[in-house]
Amino acid sequence: MKKRLATTICALGLLVSASAASAGTDAITYAKELPRFSANIYLATGTKDNNSQSKVENSIVGGNYTASMWIRDAKGKKVSSTVTQVNDNTTHFFTVDQSAVGNDVNLVAENNKSVHVKVEIAGSFYPDTR
């Protein structure tokens, strides 16, 4: 009985370790409204585990609108370039500054400056791709 309990505890420990190591490659879904007049919003937060690119699979941007996206570190510093013209069913890759590795990062988006309405946006954010 003790041997079976020890085996079970070891197996659980391995599962927890494996899930923690791959946390950055797991999808973080988002579904929010972009504010009016190019105000930005945090869509998703995840841990940047390695120096691979981050990926966004955007499924919806409401109406015929587009959005711009970038990544910030936990202190609010921009750590990637900005991708513009994000719309329905698009995938984008971001090269993230090495300083963000090991820390939380935030996917940020904004409406086009001339948009006077709130726009729905939804998709998945992957802080790491490997």
Side-chain angles (χ1 to χ4, degrees):
M1 184 65 171
K2 286 183 182 180
K3 192 173 190 177
R4 182 180 292 177
L5 180 61
T7 303
T8 303
I9 290 172
C10 287
L12 288 173
L14 289 173
L15 286 174
V16 169
S17 297
S19 65
S22 65
T25 58
D26 293 340
I28 302 165
T29 58
Y30 56 88
K32 296 194 177 187
E33 284 186 340
L34 297 174
R36 301 175 177 112
F37 305 115
S38 76
N40 61 53
I41 186 171
Y42 285 19
L43 297 177
T45 300
T47 303
K48 184 78 178 132
D49 291 330
N50 60 56
N51 64 352
S52 66
Q53 290 185 313
S54 295
K55 179 172 81 169
V56 172
E57 293 175 342
N58 199 73
S59 54
I60 297 170
V61 176
N64 291 323
Y65 298 104
T66 62
S68 296
M69 293 181 162
W70 62 94
I71 297 173
R72 288 186 181 160
D73 66 14
K75 296 178 183 176
K77 176 186 167 197
K78 187 176 174 184
V79 292
S80 76
S81 60
T82 300
V83 173
T84 59
Q85 304 299 313
V86 176
N87 53 22
D88 295 351
N89 302 312
T90 57
T91 299
H92 301 280
F93 290 90
F94 296 85
T95 299
V96 178
D97 186 273
Q98 182 69 27
S99 66
V101 174
N103 300 304
D104 283 348
V105 292
N106 303 296
L107 176 63
V108 183
E110 70 181 7
N111 258 330
N112 184 322
K113 292 180 185 199
S114 63
V115 175
H116 304 288
V117 296
K118 293 180 180 178
V119 175
E120 293 179 17
I121 189 166
S124 298
F125 172 53
Y126 300 83
D128 297 304
T129 53
R130 63 173 163 103

